[in-house]
Amino acid sequence: MNRLTADQARQLAARVVALTQADAAETLVISADDSLTRFADNRIHQNVTETDTRVSVRAVLGNRQGVASTNRLDDESLAGCCADAVAAASAAPADPEFPGLPSPVPVQTPVRAAEAAAGFGPEQRAEVALGIVRQCSSRLIQAAGGVASTLQTVAIGNSLGVDVGMETTSVRATVLAQSDRGGSGWASFFGPDPAGLVADALGDEAATLAQRSEYPADLEPGSYTVVLAPEAVADIVDFLGYLGFSARSFEEGRSFLSGNLEKRIMSELVTISDNACAPESFGLVFDYEGMPKRRVPLIENGVATSVVTDSYWAARTGRENTGHALPAPNAFGPMTLDLMMGAGDSTLDEIIGSVERGVYVTRFHYVNAEDPVPVTLTGMTRDGTFLIEDGALATPLKNQRFTQGAVAALNAVKGVTSERAFFDVMLGSALVPGLLIDGWEFTGQTG
Amino acid sequence: MRDLVFAAINAALVKGARYADARIVDSREQKVSVSDGRVEAIESGESFGIGVRVIADGSWGFASSAAVTTEAAEQLGRQAVAIARASALVAGAPVNLADVGTFDTRWDGPCEVDPFAVSLEEKIALLLEADEAMRAEDAVKLTKSHLGFFRAHKCFGSSEGSYIEQTYTESGGGITAVAVAGGEVLTRSYPNSHGGNWLQGGYEVIRSFDLAGQAPRVAEEAAALLSAAPCPPGVTDLIIDGSQLGLQVHESIGHPTELDRVLGDEAAFAGTSFLGVRDLGQLRYGSEHVTVTADATVAGSIGSFGFDDEGVPAQRDHLITDGALTGFLTSRESARAISRTSNGCMRADGWNRIPLIRMTTVSLEPGEWSLDDLIADTDDGLYVETNSSWSIDDKRLNFQFACEIGWEIKDGERTRMVKNPNYTGITPKFWNSCDAVCSRDHWQVWGLPNCGKGEPMQVAHVAHGASPARFRGIRVGVGR
């Protein structure tokens, strides 16, 4: 069974909508080829591929809803899935706040499926892994990481006429380089195709950082000026989206934006939007109800400006539907999946050069939230943490634990890099710069 | 199914595979959730497919598809061999597997009341009753309650001759009350946070939880947290309840003892382990009060099965014995690195994933204390319940956990409630500070249905038995 084209997926969605004996129905089709080559200890140890097509049906009876899904695509199974959705809706109590399925809105779907990604097979992934491993093994450094490709087709149809479909591709590569002298380095690539993926350069970046970070030293816990490389910033921005940018958390008083719209809550250097339609994006341009994803300014020069919605939370709050629905049934509310933080005008090197004493962080590890409203996060640094002295990276440091409010940290931003990079994060992707932040709280270090 | 499994295996062998196994997995699930008096989700799903894993040219290859026909299975077998040969372009030492017997059998988990036969109306009514009871508390501004059910039927075969069918059913649920005021959000959950509690079994599991009966207490405690004092920073004696201690075991013993992690296979994603193979039998992991087992035979645990996804029989093994590291969680491949046979920890979260080393029921064995006596024996300390946040470094050394609720202990009495308590430590130092573990009367198996590991991400259903225990001199109130 092959991955469906956008037209095939739209036709399947329409067929399943027609099969559903309900007042209204919506079908989501996700068809994907996912492949991944993993390496560790300078050898490939895992190499997998998967093809699957999943159909999810939302049946509506009056203002009651039920959802069922299957990956069996024969007529009998699809009919059974539709019947399960209808049975679920029949059992549900009436929901007076359900606004009904959304009506169609025109969606312009750009071509975001790269042919080069489709030809990126196991031999090509192995070649990338080999290039990375050579850079590391020649320096007696152990390489680990992965080379992955995703070819995905998503289509949504509903009985009111929504009929959208789109193919996307992505390629991801990661490199962890580790020396037996305590050095650890990291490099990553995330893009729509393998065109920008240069294995030797990626391996060299990680291996050089690993060599540079050998024999790490202790750091006293305390408040430090930090320079966060873009990948570290991606984790922070990701949690802002998870905890605060949704109309649901806003309305329930659980967001740092609750009661703060039109107020300055972050540094004026901070501008954040959600924008799936930006030319550099390579994801879906419609949400999981088939509504166009709109660019939503969330923080503009430090001022809280807006939240994202889906059809339910738009109707409930009287806001515009910004096109941020997750697949039904959605217990989380609308979510940002394409966050972008504005760039500054200084290079990363210039920002490091401006710091008399501070800490440079390549990336974070295992970040989690301890307090939702201030977005208090804890996590560890990883794969290249350095003391900054007199404007240059100095002593490598052991991995540090931080316990820090993200909103407070973004209110203490003193510099933003001109370089930005895409990362795949917990919620979709994020395009972020590096940041210079005052008063970052390190609360411990690894043993 | 047997014919399909061996069609895939034989196709791989014809193409030159030295070893092949295939799994067909047919799973279904149902979820019902209520929030703020509104039925938020009624959802059912099913997934069916086949995955083929091979060793060819000394390397691994895996291919999977939702197409489950003889022709598709044979194609997958050939594709998996081609992928293995691509792996061999960057090969290490040839993959070899520890020996295992061959089995032709089936295993069925417990299930008294088929949860898929219980009406949706009954499930919704239970959740609405619990939800309403929580909303009776004025300070509670957000409520959530949910039930979930999962059933899988697996057919495993290997080129060594095993063919094993297994069926198991899991049921779980929980309730959450969130008090909101003055920019503070404080949560209480029952029977556990992050998905409630899960056990193998049918709807009888849900009835045993008494969600509606516990709802008023849960809401009352959430409301009380609003006026509770913040957890004061300092170093104190910490008593941790069984549910949080289960997660502590999970993060700081379960994951570090996964031998694939020890050997570096997960380095680039979730990290490695502070442990090395050399530490086996040498490292003092904890105090003499700390004995930890990995047991896939615990009745009713979601960490239990008849055979793992390499066809290795379920076992009970000691990871830590009286404080000494005595074992790892292993696969057939990794077990050879420590000259042992596999203790049967390889599981995949579906037909489309390779098996990885996963925890089974990894438990801190009970001691002899009662909780009342333990508190009475503590002059100055903190008692905490129910996880709210967790984080641990890439070698599983530096951890920080936050809990939903805590109480100060003064002169052997549980006194003032505190909110947002957290604590931090370094794994072996922390476990060596354990000086008391509560008895089997307090010991409970906590099902964890959301253990993430690997790439592509796999979510395993694992479990931990634990009773409350005391740790001396722990840093609490971090960053407060």
Side-chain angles (χ1 to χ4, degrees):
Chain A
M1 185 185 305
N2 297 320
R3 178 176 58 96
L4 303 180
T5 65
D7 285 345
Q8 288 170 329
R10 285 171 52 217
Q11 289 163 11
L12 176 60
R15 183 157 69 91
V16 173
V17 165
L19 276 174
T20 309
Q21 302 297 306
D23 296 340
E26 173 190 87
T27 300
L28 164 66
V29 176
I30 300 177
S31 184
D33 290 330
D34 289 298
S35 300
L36 168 67
T37 300
R38 291 182 92 190
F39 51 96
D41 198 19
N42 290 341
R43 99 287 185 204
I44 292 174
H45 67 97
Q46 179 183 322
N47 206 343
V48 300
T49 190
E50 169 193 357
T51 300
D52 195 18
T53 296
R54 188 148 200 92
V55 174
S56 181
V57 183
R58 173 158 57 151
V60 178
L61 296 172
N63 54 12
R64 298 173 293 159
Q65 308 173 67
V67 175
S69 63
T70 186
N71 72 338
R72 297 177 193 251
L73 304 185
D74 60 279
D75 289 346
E76 184 181 353
S77 297
L78 289 173
C81 180
C82 297
D84 286 345
V86 172
S90 301
D95 180 2
E97 293 182 329
F98 175 55
L101 298 177
S103 297
V105 176
V107 179
Q108 298 297 321
T109 52
V111 174
R112 285 185 169 175
E115 284 188 20
F120 195 55
E123 291 81 9
Q124 289 74 27
R125 298 196 304 274
E127 286 295 330
V128 172
L130 183 61
I132 291 168
V133 165
R134 280 178 177 156
Q135 286 291 327
C136 293
S137 60
S138 64
R139 307 178 209 190
L140 303 180
I141 282 174
Q142 303 298 315
V147 186
S149 67
T150 296
L151 319 175
Q152 181 174 259
T153 306
V154 176
I156 295 130
N158 79 20
S159 53
L160 300 181
V162 167
D163 176 18
V164 296
M166 186 175 176
E167 296 175 47
T168 61
T169 57
S170 65
V171 171
R172 181 175 188 265
T174 57
V175 188
L176 169 71
Q178 293 181 296
S179 83
D180 58 9
R181 294 166 295 280
S184 184
W186 177 260
S188 67
F189 170 85
F190 183 50
D193 62 48
L197 174 53
V198 181
D200 287 349
L202 210 62
D204 175 62
E205 180 183 346
T208 301
L209 193 54
Q211 291 174 309
R212 177 73 182 79
S213 62
E214 291 179 339
Y215 303 110
D218 293 334
L219 180 74
E220 280 297 311
S223 183
Y224 290 85
T225 294
V226 293
V227 175
L228 304 183
E231 194 147 357
V233 175
D235 277 343
I236 306 299
V237 171
D238 195 24
F239 269 93
L240 293 180
Y242 176 57
L243 293 171
F245 286 141
S246 159
R248 178 171 187 173
S249 59
F250 176 80
E251 292 294 328
E252 292 174 345
R254 297 183 289 117
S255 165
F256 57 90
L257 297 178
S258 301
N260 284 325
L261 288 185
E262 309 303 327
K263 296 178 184 173
R264 198 180 77 78
I265 61 170
M266 296 177 186
S267 159
E268 62 184 11
L269 298 175
V270 174
T271 292
I272 303 172
S273 65
D274 191 85
N275 187 9
C277 298
E280 59 266 53
S281 291
F282 47 96
L284 298 173
V285 296
F286 49 81
D287 72 4
Y288 290 99
E289 294 180 322
M291 296 293 102
K293 291 185 174 185
R294 302 187 190 283
R295 180 186 182 278
V296 180
L298 300 160
I299 305 289
E300 288 197 307
N301 302 120
V303 176
T305 49
S306 191
V307 292
V308 299
T309 63
D310 55 15
S311 66
Y312 176 85
W313 284 95
R316 183 162 165 169
T317 63
R319 298 172 183 273
E320 177 189 39
N321 184 350
T322 62
H324 288 82
L326 298 181
N330 175 13
F332 295 97
M335 282 288 165
T336 51
L337 298 177
D338 301 276
L339 285 171
M340 295 185 172
M341 180 179 274
D345 52 13
S346 303
T347 66
L348 183 61
D349 286 343
E350 288 170 344
I351 280 187
I352 292 171
S354 72
V355 177
E356 188 174 334
R357 188 167 192 277
V359 174
Y360 174 81
V361 176
T362 299
R363 68 171 184 137
F364 291 131
H365 173 82
Y366 219 136
V367 178
N368 212 334
E370 290 200 344
D371 196 352
V373 177
V375 193
T376 302
L377 304 176
T378 188
M380 297 293 297
T381 66
R382 184 176 174 180
D383 305 328
T385 307
F386 296 92
L387 200 62
I388 303 172
E389 289 182 316
D390 300 326
L393 298 190
T395 311
L397 299 172
K398 290 181 178 175
N399 290 332
Q400 300 294 310
R401 174 165 294 286
F402 66 91
T403 306
Q404 172 66 50
V407 178
L410 292 177
N411 197 27
V413 169
K414 304 301 179 190
V416 180
T417 68
S418 51
E419 308 101 322
R420 295 190 298 172
F422 266 108
F423 301 96
D424 61 334
V425 290
M426 179 173 60
L427 293 172
S429 67
L431 175 63
V432 292
L435 296 177
L436 170 65
I437 299 174
D438 273 350
W440 186 270
E441 294 293 333
F442 287 115
T443 54
Q445 69 179 9
T446 195
Chain B
M1 294 300 171
R2 184 189 292 260
D3 291 346
L4 291 167
V5 163
F6 284 102
I9 290 169
N10 290 333
L13 295 177
V14 166
K15 275 293 179 182
R18 172 161 56 83
Y19 168 85
D21 61 35
R23 273 178 303 113
I24 295 174
V25 182
D26 187 357
S27 65
R28 65 181 295 197
E29 63 180 345
Q30 184 185 66
K31 299 174 185 173
V32 185
S33 64
V34 164
S35 179
D36 294 336
R38 171 179 175 251
V39 174
E40 198 167 52
I42 306 174
E43 180 181 19
S44 63
E46 60 180 7
S47 183
F48 181 56
I50 179 171
V52 185
R53 187 179 71 145
V54 307
I55 301 171
D57 291 355
S59 294
W60 285 113
F62 176 81
S64 63
S65 174
V68 188
T69 63
T70 301
E71 183 184 9
E74 291 172 346
Q75 170 57 27
L76 279 181
R78 293 190 287 268
Q79 187 181 5
V81 172
I83 290 172
R85 294 209 158 111
S87 301
L89 295 173
V90 193
V95 175
N96 285 301
L97 304 179
D99 291 339
V100 67
T102 58
F103 304 90
D104 193 332
T105 187
R106 67 169 294 126
W107 180 87
D108 293 281
C111 181
E112 292 177 20
V113 180
D114 181 359
F116 296 98
V118 174
S119 72
L120 280 168
E121 286 81 357
E122 180 175 341
K123 296 163 183 165
I124 292 166
L126 169 63
L127 294 180
L128 286 173
E129 182 184 359
D131 189 82
E132 185 176 359
M134 289 190 287
R135 286 186 294 120
E137 175 62 58
D138 288 343
V140 169
K141 304 300 184 191
L142 174 65
T143 55
K144 282 183 172 287
S145 54
H146 69 276
L147 301 176
F149 308 97
F150 177 79
R151 177 172 290 154
H153 178 65
K154 295 181 185 177
C155 306
F156 168 89
S158 78
S159 56
E160 295 167 341
S162 280
Y163 181 76
I164 301 161
E165 294 200 15
Q166 301 187 82
T167 301
Y168 56 94
T169 304
E170 300 172 349
S171 298
I175 57 174
T176 299
V178 183
V180 182
E184 285 194 295
V185 176
L186 293 151
T187 300
R188 279 299 276 151
S189 306
Y190 170 84
N192 204 355
S193 52
H194 314 308
N197 198 13
W198 281 72
L199 295 168
Q200 269 187 7
Y203 202 71
E204 70 277 5
V205 169
I206 303 302
R207 289 175 177 144
S208 74
F209 289 162
D210 187 23
L211 296 179
Q214 293 289 332
R217 175 190 63 80
V218 169
E220 183 183 317
E221 287 184 353
L225 282 168
L226 284 173
S227 53
C231 178
V235 174
T236 193
D237 295 340
L238 182 67
I239 299 176
I240 302 174
D241 85 310
S243 67
Q244 167 59 25
L245 198 53
L247 191 63
Q248 178 78 51
V249 169
H250 179 93
E251 300 291 359
S252 67
I253 294 178
H255 280 308
T257 56
E258 294 164 344
L259 192 51
D260 56 350
R261 190 185 290 264
V262 172
L263 297 173
D265 285 357
E266 294 296 324
F269 184 58
T272 59
S273 171
F274 68 96
L275 299 172
V277 170
R278 65 190 175 282
D279 291 320
L280 190 61
Q282 303 295 318
L283 180 81
R284 176 143 291 280
Y285 207 113
S287 72
E288 69 272 22
H289 305 282
V290 177
T291 290
V292 176
T293 54
D295 190 346
T297 68
V298 176
S301 167
I302 61 171
S304 291
F305 43 78
F307 296 82
D308 77 356
D309 287 336
E310 290 190 309
V312 177
Q315 297 165 44
R316 173 182 167 87
D317 202 0
H318 276 68
L319 302 177
I320 299 171
T321 306
D322 301 329
L325 178 71
T326 51
F328 290 109
L329 303 169
T330 66
S331 61
R332 292 184 64 189
E333 181 183 7
S334 65
R336 284 179 65 99
I338 55 172
S339 302
R340 293 187 178 184
T341 55
S342 170
N343 56 13
C345 295
M346 287 287 270
R347 282 191 290 164
D349 83 348
W351 53 267
N352 52 350
R353 296 287 183 267
I354 59 166
L356 299 173
I357 295 178
R358 306 312 299 252
M359 291 169 239
T360 53
T361 303
V362 176
S363 303
L364 176 65
E365 293 296 304
E368 296 180 347
W369 287 78
S370 75
L371 180 57
D372 286 347
D373 287 346
L374 190 55
I375 290 173
D377 186 64
T378 305
D379 295 332
D380 185 14
L382 182 69
Y383 171 65
V384 294
E385 284 185 358
T386 319
N387 180 266
S388 62
S389 176
W390 66 101
S391 173
I392 191 163
D393 74 19
D394 62 319
K395 293 192 180 337
R396 300 273 150 182
L397 276 172
N398 180 308
F399 61 79
Q400 185 161 310
F401 290 96
C403 291
E404 290 184 350
I405 194 167
W407 288 269
E408 291 180 321
I409 300 170
K410 300 292 182 190
D411 300 324
E413 300 278 344
R414 193 165 84 163
T415 59
R416 186 175 67 149
M417 178 187 290
V418 297
K419 60 185 159 194
N420 292 325
N422 67 359
Y423 66 95
T424 190
I426 300 293
T427 293
K429 184 179 177 188
F430 173 82
W431 285 106
N432 274 285
S433 75
C434 178
D435 77 337
V437 180
C438 286
S439 69
R440 188 163 290 280
D441 291 344
H442 300 274
W443 195 87
Q444 181 179 342
V445 174
W446 301 92
L448 205 82
N450 49 11
C451 173
K453 181 180 176 181
E455 294 178 292
M457 173 63 80
Q458 297 195 39
V459 178
H461 301 182
V462 304
H464 304 285
S467 51
R470 182 173 61 191
F471 300 82
R472 297 288 195 180
I474 304 302
R475 187 176 165 212
V476 303
V478 185
R480 298 291 187 255

